[in-house]
Amino acid sequence: GAGPKQSNLYKNWFSLGALNKARIGFMTTQLATTARNTTNGYMRNYVYAMDNLGTGLANLGYGQVTKLRSIGNKELAAEAQRAINLGKAQMVTGAQSLYGKDLWMGTTSWETAALDKLFRDAKFGKSNLAKEIYREMGDIGELTGEEGGILFLARKANYLNTLSDNMFKRAVFSREVDKRLRAAGQKGGLKGFFKEAYLDPKMAKKSAGMFSRIDDKVIGQAMEEALSFTYQTGKFAGKSGYFNKGADFFIDAASKNILFSQAVPFPRYLVNQLIFAYEHIPILGMFDFGTGILKKQGDELPDYASRFGKTFGGLATLGAFFGIRNQFGDETTGPYDYYSPANPKKTFDAR
């Protein structure tokens, strides 16, 4: 028995792989890192709100035009109604994001708490997916959350960062499931689903497996959006296009090569950040020019309504920062320097 024990001791505490991952994990334990990531998450929440409002407007417009053209054509009429339902659901998601649903410093709506509890419960058959989304060190890669040794210490030291990270993922995951249920015709979205399936006395007796019936495609799309929001999307090898092949190679090389990871400790974060920046470039970001940078998992057809929504969000973001510069800066201030609202003669570093 001494051989395997010594082997596990080395693997968990002294191997280069464990030490390197732990090194990266400990890099995100600073309180300043948690504060920065939380601030960035709240800012992205409002970009996400604008994205959904823009996409909703595009789908509503497309649906209304298609409805006018659908006289005597049942298939076209169904397509028009689908676009209108989806547009309405996206507008609701945009509104939820504007008032910060599930992001009021730890408070969570009961339907989101219920979704989270059922999603993590092995009895409902989706707990493996829950482990994939709620990672304790999301930047590190595909860890199971059960590693021992020095990685265990790194995970526990990441408590605050994990708390912040999972708050945003839980909120976006819930909004995305709610959106897709509304678009499919579920009255009241996620809250309506739980009320009908579990709180209605007539339905409660036969509702035991209702959560399991939520389409895996709905869960998968919601997971991808939640991971994308927190810059943790992976599995680029499963998507077509030169960009995704390059992203997969870059992440794999930086994760496995210890020298490379010294320079690039968070490759997935960088790739996701690049995607976020590109898709929000007004107009240009609507086209991937065959590179695959805008590809979503399992999405082979371009969704131009979504791309329009991201342009809408990008324009809103640029407009906000132009407004800030106009109000609190001038030609004498540097790129990060702004005049303080409390003391107009004093500048501060916006970073």
Side-chain angles (χ1 to χ4, degrees):
K5 284 183 181 178
Q6 287 176 352
S7 176
N8 283 334
L9 180 69
Y10 172 77
K11 180 181 176 183
N12 291 336
W13 289 96
F14 305 112
S15 69
L16 284 177
L19 288 172
N20 189 49
K21 286 180 179 178
R23 174 186 69 86
I24 297 168
F26 282 122
M27 286 171 67
T28 62
T29 61
Q30 300 174 53
L31 189 59
T33 302
T34 301
R36 182 199 67 209
N37 289 346
T38 304
T39 303
N40 288 346
Y42 276 111
M43 292 178 75
R44 286 201 303 278
N45 173 64
Y46 290 103
V47 180
Y48 173 81
M50 292 298 109
D51 292 350
N52 274 280
L53 291 172
T55 307
L57 287 170
N59 274 316
L60 286 172
Y62 170 76
Q64 292 296 345
V65 170
T66 305
K67 198 172 185 179
L68 292 174
R69 295 171 48 229
S70 68
I71 298 171
N73 187 324
K74 290 184 179 179
E75 288 185 7
L76 211 54
E79 172 66 13
Q81 194 56 51
R82 183 205 66 80
I84 290 170
N85 290 345
L86 181 57
K88 287 179 179 177
Q90 286 160 336
M91 296 294 279
V92 170
T93 303
Q96 289 173 344
S97 304
L98 284 175
Y99 71 77
K101 184 175 186 285
D102 296 315
L103 293 179
W104 287 89
M105 286 301 180
T107 60
T108 308
S109 62
W110 69 262
E111 67 270 19
T112 294
L115 175 67
D116 189 57
K117 189 174 181 64
L118 293 173
F119 189 46
R120 292 172 185 262
D121 194 324
K123 287 183 288 189
F124 293 94
K126 300 187 191 295
S127 59
N128 285 336
L129 295 174
K131 288 177 184 175
E132 194 174 321
I133 187 173
Y134 295 123
R135 305 171 182 135
E136 288 186 307
M137 291 195 296
D139 289 325
I140 310 306
E142 308 300 332
L143 299 185
T144 64
E146 297 173 3
E147 291 81 8
I150 196 166
L151 279 173
F152 173 82
L153 295 180
R155 284 205 322 273
K156 294 308 175 187
N158 262 277
Y159 176 76
L160 288 177
N161 208 40
T162 299
L163 206 64
S164 168
D165 195 40
N166 285 347
M167 176 182 72
F168 289 109
K169 280 192 277 198
R170 183 171 55 245
V172 173
F173 178 69
S174 174
R175 291 178 203 167
E176 289 291 324
V177 172
D178 177 79
K179 179 202 300 182
R180 284 166 173 78
L181 289 176
R182 288 177 188 274
Q186 172 64 58
K187 187 177 179 182
L190 184 61
K191 184 181 286 188
F193 169 79
F194 281 129
K195 281 183 177 178
E196 285 181 16
Y198 294 95
L199 300 182
D200 185 328
K202 293 180 181 178
M203 292 291 291
K205 292 180 181 179
K206 48 186 177 181
S207 66
M210 290 294 285
F211 179 73
S212 303
R213 294 179 204 170
I214 294 180
D215 191 346
D216 281 346
K217 189 175 181 181
V218 167
I219 296 292
Q221 290 171 334
M223 282 179 61
E224 176 151 18
E225 288 299 327
L227 289 169
S228 173
F229 184 95
T230 50
Y231 291 167
Q232 291 176 18
T233 299
K235 299 181 179 177
F236 289 97
K239 303 174 187 178
S240 60
Y242 294 114
F243 174 83
N244 294 307
K245 287 181 175 59
D248 180 64
F249 175 80
F250 175 74
I251 293 169
D252 191 55
S255 301
K256 292 180 179 177
N257 187 301
I258 292 173
L259 289 177
F260 193 177
S261 77
Q262 301 290 318
V264 187
F266 307 116
R268 283 201 306 176
Y269 188 94
L270 285 178
V271 170
N272 279 269
Q273 193 178 49
L274 176 63
I275 294 170
F276 179 88
Y278 180 81
E279 65 188 359
H280 286 91
I281 297 173
I283 311 302
L284 180 66
M286 293 178 68
F287 307 96
D288 68 5
F289 303 104
T291 62
I293 192 171
L294 301 181
K295 277 279 190 250
K296 298 292 183 184
Q297 191 70 34
D299 174 26
E300 291 304 318
L301 296 174
D303 181 353
Y304 285 107
S306 175
R307 297 185 186 194
F308 172 83
K310 299 286 174 63
T311 278
F312 185 87
L315 284 169
T317 306
L318 280 174
F321 282 100
F322 281 139
I324 292 169
R325 169 59 63 185
N326 183 53
Q327 290 293 315
F328 302 112
D330 57 32
E331 65 278 4
T332 67
T333 53
Y336 301 110
D337 297 327
Y338 292 87
Y339 291 111
S340 168
N343 184 357
K345 294 182 179 179
K346 186 178 180 181
T347 60
F348 67 95
D349 189 326
R351 285 173 292 183

